[in-house]
C-alpha cells in the first residue's frame, strides 16, 4: 500500500503527480547530497560529487528516474526532524500495528583528508522498532547517468549490487532481495519493537561483494560519529538572538553545500527544479558562483565559522586569476571553468517542467558584481575574524580591484544573469564601488597594495554615475539600470553596503517603491518582466529577506519582523527553503535547498537583532561596519 503523509500542509497536495519540493529533506557528506522525501524515498542523489550525474533522479522524472525507498507497507502517518544540532534525519512512521523510526545520515568521514582521496561514499539508514511490529519494504532502483543507462544487478542474499560501466552501487539490507523485470530490487520484512536494523548504501565499491558485510556495530559507530561531528560544529555557532533555531538550521544547510576537498560552495544541490510549474526557468545550480560563495561565507563568518572562509581563499587562489586567466562568475567545484549547458530531453522534468538542464550558460556572462562580493568577504575576514588572509591572496584581491576599476563602465548581465543584451545595471555598478571601497580599506589596514589614487578616482566616478543615472528623478527611487525607470529589488542592498545611510530620502523612496510595485502578499519579486524570458516566476526569498533587513536598518522593526515571517512561514517541517516562494499555493519553487535564501535568513536575523539593541546603529553587510 502507498504511504499517506499526515502533515496538514501537504496532506493532499501534489505537483502534477510529483511530491511538493517542501516534502524533501537533505543529507550530505561534504562531497554530495541526497534529498529524502517524507515517505522515506531518496529521490535525488548525484555521486560521487555534487556536479556528477544523478544515480537517483525520480525528482526529475517520476517514471524513469531512480530512487531508494524504505517505507511501511501499510498506510502510515509521518513525523520527522533532524537530530538536534545535526544533519542527521529522523522520520517516525506510525500505523495501527506499530511505530518505526528511520534514521538517515551520510558518513561524515568524507569531510576528512583521507576521504578526499577515497571515491567510496556511504549513506546509512537505520530502522528502529519503537512500538508493536511493522512490515517495511525496501525498494532500490538506481538509474545511472540521469536515467540514461540501465544497470545490471547482482544479488547475493541480503546484498544487491547495481553496476553500469565503472559505476557500482551496493545496497546491504536486513532482508533478502529479489529483482523484478522492471529493474527494481525489493526486500521486505518486519521490524519488531526494540530491534535496530540497518541499510547501507555504498557508492564506488570495486567488487560485487565486500569481504564481510558492514556490521551493526560499525554502522552504529558511524552514526554516532556523524551526530557528534554535527553537534560539535553547530555548537560553534556564535549567535543566540531571535530566530536562533532558524539561523542554526540555515548554517547547517550552508555547511552541506560546501565541497570539502576544495572549500567551494554550490548554490544548491539540484538542477532544473522550476521557478514556475510548467515553465522553462529551470537551471543547474550545482556549481560555485563567486557571488553566492562570498555572501554565504559572510553569513557563516558572522556566526563564527572561520575555517570555511580560509578554505575558500585557498580555492580562489588555485583559480590562478592573476596569471591571466579570465574571470568567470561561476566555476565547477574543482575550479574548472568549462560548464557547457545542455538539455536532457529524455526526462520529463519536475512536475512536467521542461527543459531539464545540466551545466550553466551563465558561466560565459559578464557579471561585474562578483568583484565587490569577493573583496567584501575579504574585508569581513580581516576585520570580523581578526585574521589576515595569507599574503599570497593579496594578488587575487588586487586583481579584482583593478578589474572593478577598469570594467565598471561596461554593461553586463547583472546579478540575476539576464539573458538579454548587456545593460548598465545599478547593482553591478554599486558592487564595483564596494570592490574599490573595500580594497581601499584593506590598503589602510596594510593588507593590500595597489594604485590607491586611481582606485579612489574610480570609486568617486562610480558614485557620481549611480546618483546621476541610476536614480529616477520622478519617484526618487533607484532603478534597475541606468537611464531607466524600472525597479529592481537588488537596490535594497544600497544601505547595507554603506553607500548611503538607511534614512537617506533616496533609500527610503526605494524601499517604499519596491514595497508598492514589486511586492505581493508581503513577498518581494526581483523585477517585472525584463529578463528576456517568458513571464512567470514566484517571489524571491532572498529579496524579501533583504526587505526585512532594510526595514530593520530604518528602525521599522514591526514591519521588518513581518517581512521576515513572510519568508520563514514557507520553511518546511525541517526548516529548509528553496529559492522562490509561491504565494498562491504556499509551495516552494526553484532549486532546493538554496544558499541564497539561507544566507539571507542569517543576515536578516542578525540585522533584526542588531536593530533592537540600545546602541548606535551599524550598517552591516559584507563585513563593513560604519558608525553613525
Amino acid at each position: 500500500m502507498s504511504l499517506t503523509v499526515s502533515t496538514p500542509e501537504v496532506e493532499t497536495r501534489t505537483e502534477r503527480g510529483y511530491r511538493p519540493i517542501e516534502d524533501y529533506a537533505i543529507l550530505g557528506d561534504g562531497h554530495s547530497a541526497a534529498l529524502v522525501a517524507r515517505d522515506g524515498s531518496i529521490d535525488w542523489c548525484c555521486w560521487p560529487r555534487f556536479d556528477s550525474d544523478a544515480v537517483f533522479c525520480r525528482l526529475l522524472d517520476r517514471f524513469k528516474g531512480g530512487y531508494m525507498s524504505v517505507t511501511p507497507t501499510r498506510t502510515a502517518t509521518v513525523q520527522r526532524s533532524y537530530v538536534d544540532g545535526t544533519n542527521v534525519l529522523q522520520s517516525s512512521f506510525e500505523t495501527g500495528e506499530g511505530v518505526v523510526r528511520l534514521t538517515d545520515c551520510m558518513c561524515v568521514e568524507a569531510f576528512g583528508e583521507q576521504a578526499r582521496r577515497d571515491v567510496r561514499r556511504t549513506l546509512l539508514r537505520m530502522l528502529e522498532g519503537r512500538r508493536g511490529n511493522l512490515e517495511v519494504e525496501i525498494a532500490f532502483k538506481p538509474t545511472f547517468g540521469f536515467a540514461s543507462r540501465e544497470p545490471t544487478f547482482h544479488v547475493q542474499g541480503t546484498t544487491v549490487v547495481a553496476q553500469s560501466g565503472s559505476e557500482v552501487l551496493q545496497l546491504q539490507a536486513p532482508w533478502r532481495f529479489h529483482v523484478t523485470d522492471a529493474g527494481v530490487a525489493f526486500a521486505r520484512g518486519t521490524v519488531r519493537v526494540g530491534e535496530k536494523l540497518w541499510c547501507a548504501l555504498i557508492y564506488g565499491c570495486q567488487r560485487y561483494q565486500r569481504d564481510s558485510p558492514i556490521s551493526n556495530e560499525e554502522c552504529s559507530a558511524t552514526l554516532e560519529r556523524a551526530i557528534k561531528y554535527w553537534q560539535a560544529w553547530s555548537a560553534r555557532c556564535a549567535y543566540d538572538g531571535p530566530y536562533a533555531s532558524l539561523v542554526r538550521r540555515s548554517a547547517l544547510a550552508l555547511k552541506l553545500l560546501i565541497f570539502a576537498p576544495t572549500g567551494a560552495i554550490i548554490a544548491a544541490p539540484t538542477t532544473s527544479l522550476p521557478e514556475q510549474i510548467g515553465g522553462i526557468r529551470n537551471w543547474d545550480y550545482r556549481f560555485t558562483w563567486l557571488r553566492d560563495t562570498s555572501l554565504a561565507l559572510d553569513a557563516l563568518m558572522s556566526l563564527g565559522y572561520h575555517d570555511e572562509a580560509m578554505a575558500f581563499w585557498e580555492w580562489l587562489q588555485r583559480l590562478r586569476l592573476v596569471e591571466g586567466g579570465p574571470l568567470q562568475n561561476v566555476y565547477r567545484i574543482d575550479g574548472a571553468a568549462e560548464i557547457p549547458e545542455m538539455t536532457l530531453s529524455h526526462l520529463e522534468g519536475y512536475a512536467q517542467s521542461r527543459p531539464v538542464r545540466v551545466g550553466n550558460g551563465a558561466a560565459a556572462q559578464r557579471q561585474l558584481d562578483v568583484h565587490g562580493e569577493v573583496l567584501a568577504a575579504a574585508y569581513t575576514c580581516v576585520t570580523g575574524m581578526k585574521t589576515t588572509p595569507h599574503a599570497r591572496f593579496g594578488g587575487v584581491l588586487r586583481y579584482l580591484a583593478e578589474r572593478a576599476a577598469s570594467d565598471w563602465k561596461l554593461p553586463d548581465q547583472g546579478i540575476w544573469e539576464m539573458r538579454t543584451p548587456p545593460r548598465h545595471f545599478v547593482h553591478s555598478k554599486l558592487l564595483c564601488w564596494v570592490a574599490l571601497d573595500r580594497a581601499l580599506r584593506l590598503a589602510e589596514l596594510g593588507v593590500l597594495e595597489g594604485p590607491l589614487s586611481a582606485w579612489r578616482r574610480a570609486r568617486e566616478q562610480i558614485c557620481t554615475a549611480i546618483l546621476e543615472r541610476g536614480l529616477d528623478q520622478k519617484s526618487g527611487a533607484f532603478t534597475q539600470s541606468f537611464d531607466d525607470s524600472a525597479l529592481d529589488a537588488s537596490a535594497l542592498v544600497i544601505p547595507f553596503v554603506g553607500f548611503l545611510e538607511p534614512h537617506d530620502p533616496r533609500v527610503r523612496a526605494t524601499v517604499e517603491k519596491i514595497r508598492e510595485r514589486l511586492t505581493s502578499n508581503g513577498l518581494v519579486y526581483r523585477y517585472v518582466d525584463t529578463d528576456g524570458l517568458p513571464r512567470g516566476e514566484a517571489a524571491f526569498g532572498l529579496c524579501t529577506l533583504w526587505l526585512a533587513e532594510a526595514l530593520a536598518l530604518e528602525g521599522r522593526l514591526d514591519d521588518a519582523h513581518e517581512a521576515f515571517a513572510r519568508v520563514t512561514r514557507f520553511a518546511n517541517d525541517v526548516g529548509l527553503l528553496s529559492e522562490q516562494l509561491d504565494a498562491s499555493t504556499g509551495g516552494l519553487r526553484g532549486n532546493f535547498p538554496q544558499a541564497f535564501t539561507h544566507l539571507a535568513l542569517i543576515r536578516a536575523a542578525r540585522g533584526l537583532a542588531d536593530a533592537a539593541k540600545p546602541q548606535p546603529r551599524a550598517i552591516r553587510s559584507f563585513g563593513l561596519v560604519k558608525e553613525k
Side-chain angles (χ1 to χ4, degrees):
M1 298 178 64
S2 61
L3 187 85
T4 301
V5 177
S6 66
T7 304
E9 295 82 5
V10 295
E11 184 173 11
T12 59
R13 190 172 75 83
T14 62
E15 302 283 7
R16 298 185 179 180
Y18 285 74
R19 290 196 168 279
I21 293 171
E22 56 268 26
D23 224 29
Y24 289 91
I26 185 175
L27 308 173
D29 64 359
H31 287 251
S32 177
L35 295 189
V36 187
R38 198 174 271 120
D39 67 349
S41 179
I42 299 173
D43 289 346
W44 178 258
C45 186
C46 298
W47 262 333
R49 307 192 328 179
F50 292 114
D51 56 356
S52 299
D53 288 355
V55 297
F56 301 133
C57 63
R58 184 156 68 169
L59 189 66
L60 296 180
D61 195 307
R62 56 182 168 161
F63 301 110
K64 296 178 182 177
Y67 60 95
M68 186 266 168
S69 64
V70 177
T71 307
T73 59
R74 293 186 178 275
T75 301
T77 57
V78 184
Q79 291 184 339
R80 64 179 183 171
S81 64
Y82 286 107
V83 176
D84 188 43
T86 78
N87 283 311
V88 175
L89 182 68
Q90 289 189 328
S91 307
S92 293
F93 302 90
E94 182 175 0
T95 75
E97 289 75 25
V99 176
V100 165
R101 184 167 69 189
L102 174 65
T103 301
D104 290 324
C105 78
M106 293 177 79
C107 296
V108 296
E109 284 80 0
F111 284 99
E113 290 294 333
Q114 181 178 358
R116 296 183 184 190
R117 301 186 295 271
D118 183 6
V119 297
R120 198 179 82 180
R121 303 284 170 256
T122 304
L123 189 156
L124 296 177
R125 317 194 76 181
M126 181 182 71
L127 286 160
E128 183 179 4
R130 306 286 289 178
R131 176 175 63 79
N133 302 320
L134 199 59
E135 187 179 52
V136 171
E137 182 174 80
I138 299 168
F140 178 52
K141 181 189 177 183
T143 48
F144 296 99
F146 286 103
S148 65
R149 305 195 309 270
E150 292 292 333
T152 55
F153 286 99
H154 306 269
V155 178
Q156 295 191 0
T158 60
T159 297
V160 59
V161 175
Q163 184 169 15
S164 177
S166 61
E167 289 193 279
V168 181
L169 192 57
Q170 174 179 291
L171 176 60
Q172 175 186 315
W175 309 300
R176 298 180 66 85
F177 280 100
H178 71 277
V179 179
T180 69
D181 293 339
V184 184
F186 286 100
R188 180 178 291 189
T190 299
V191 183
R192 295 175 172 81
V193 64
E195 281 188 322
K196 291 183 178 180
L197 306 175
W198 291 89
C199 297
L201 184 63
I202 306 168
Y203 177 90
C205 303
Q206 298 302 310
R207 297 187 297 165
Y208 294 157
Q209 183 180 10
R210 289 170 53 93
D211 293 334
S212 60
I214 301 177
S215 67
N216 287 351
E217 291 76 14
E218 184 179 351
C219 290
S220 295
T222 300
L223 174 61
E224 184 178 354
R225 284 195 299 273
I227 291 173
K228 287 183 177 179
Y229 172 86
W230 286 117
Q231 289 181 337
W233 190 87
S234 61
R236 290 163 45 202
C237 180
Y239 180 78
D240 59 359
Y243 311 109
S245 61
L246 286 168
V247 167
R248 293 193 181 96
R249 177 50 51 197
S250 291
L252 283 161
L254 291 178
K255 178 65 173 176
L256 284 180
L257 303 183
I258 298 176
F259 185 55
T262 65
I265 302 180
I266 60 171
T270 56
T271 179
S272 300
L273 293 183
E275 298 175 9
Q276 179 188 45
I277 299 300
I280 68 168
R281 297 168 182 263
N282 317 320
W283 315 110
D284 192 348
Y285 279 9
R286 300 170 301 144
F287 308 110
T288 297
W289 275 257
L290 294 184
R291 171 194 311 112
D292 302 47
T293 295
S294 300
L295 294 172
L297 289 174
D298 180 75
L300 288 172
M301 285 187 287
S302 75
L303 302 179
Y305 293 108
H306 302 162
D307 293 345
E308 289 72 18
M310 300 313 295
F312 167 68
W313 297 122
E314 295 283 354
W315 176 84
L316 189 62
Q317 177 68 19
R318 288 193 293 271
L319 293 182
R320 300 187 181 279
L321 298 176
V322 295
E323 296 180 5
L327 176 66
Q328 292 186 183
N329 55 290
V330 57
Y331 294 85
R332 287 194 176 274
I333 53 180
D334 59 5
E338 297 295 324
I339 315 178
E341 183 175 298
M342 61 189 72
T343 61
L344 303 179
S345 58
H346 66 285
L347 298 178
E348 77 165 9
Y350 175 83
Q352 303 162 45
S353 303
R354 282 178 166 147
V356 173
R357 292 183 174 94
V358 292
N360 201 302
Q365 293 184 351
R366 179 191 298 125
Q367 296 178 22
L368 297 176
D369 64 307
V370 298
H371 309 94
E373 273 114 8
V374 176
L375 275 157
Y379 187 78
T380 297
C381 186
V382 172
T383 60
M385 293 167 47
K386 306 302 181 185
T387 301
T388 302
H390 193 281
R392 70 179 183 274
F393 301 140
V396 173
L397 301 179
R398 174 171 174 163
Y399 171 82
L400 293 170
E402 291 178 347
R403 287 292 299 267
S406 64
D407 294 354
W408 74 268
K409 295 180 181 180
L410 299 175
D412 73 335
Q413 262 73 34
I415 182 176
W416 309 129
E417 303 182 340
M418 302 287 197
R419 299 204 171 193
T420 57
R423 279 184 278 165
H424 293 281
F425 289 102
V426 170
H427 179 268
S428 297
K429 312 304 182 187
L430 175 70
L431 268 293
C432 286
W433 179 92
V434 170
L436 294 166
D437 182 78
R438 303 315 187 264
L440 289 165
R441 291 172 182 272
L442 289 169
E444 291 172 1
L445 295 171
V447 176
L448 188 60
E449 295 180 352
L452 304 189
S453 296
W455 291 354
R456 289 191 186 95
R457 285 195 303 272
R459 182 179 62 173
E460 292 307 310
Q461 290 170 356
I462 298 170
C463 178
T464 299
I466 292 173
L467 295 178
E468 290 182 353
R469 301 182 59 192
L471 190 69
D472 180 48
Q473 298 302 320
K474 183 177 180 180
S475 67
F478 286 97
T479 60
Q480 182 178 69
S481 57
F482 280 0
D483 308 319
D484 192 10
S485 60
L487 288 172
D488 193 301
S490 62
L492 289 168
V493 308
I494 286 173
F496 306 171
V497 300
F499 185 77
L500 291 175
E501 296 285 344
H503 293 281
D504 188 287
R506 294 162 292 188
V507 171
R508 286 184 165 182
T510 301
V511 171
E512 287 311 302
K513 289 300 179 183
I514 287 172
R515 294 185 78 192
E516 176 186 333
R517 299 180 186 175
L518 294 184
T519 303
S520 177
N521 296 320
L523 299 171
V524 181
Y525 293 77
R526 295 185 292 178
Y527 46 77
V528 178
D529 303 326
T530 57
D531 58 9
L533 294 172
R535 295 184 61 179
E537 68 168 10
F540 221 72
L542 169 74
C543 297
T544 308
L545 291 163
W546 276 347
L547 176 63
E549 190 173 0
L551 291 168
L553 281 173
E554 198 177 329
R556 300 165 62 180
L557 290 184
D558 289 344
D559 290 340
H561 282 283
E562 174 58 25
F564 188 91
R566 292 282 184 176
V567 175
T568 57
R569 288 172 191 151
F570 281 80
N572 70 0
D573 56 329
V574 291
L576 299 175
L577 288 155
S578 65
E579 183 177 40
Q580 299 188 15
L581 317 170
D582 189 334
S584 62
T585 66
L588 298 177
R589 295 286 180 262
N591 286 305
F592 171 87
Q594 227 275 346
F596 249 176
T597 310
H598 283 287
L599 68 88
L601 187 151
I602 293 170
R603 286 174 44 84
R606 289 187 60 85
L608 287 165
D610 289 350
K613 294 176 181 177
Q615 61 184 27
R617 180 172 294 112
I619 298 176
R620 292 182 317 100
S621 186
F622 312 107
L624 176 64
V625 178
K626 176 182 172 186
E627 298 296 344
K628 289 185 64 178

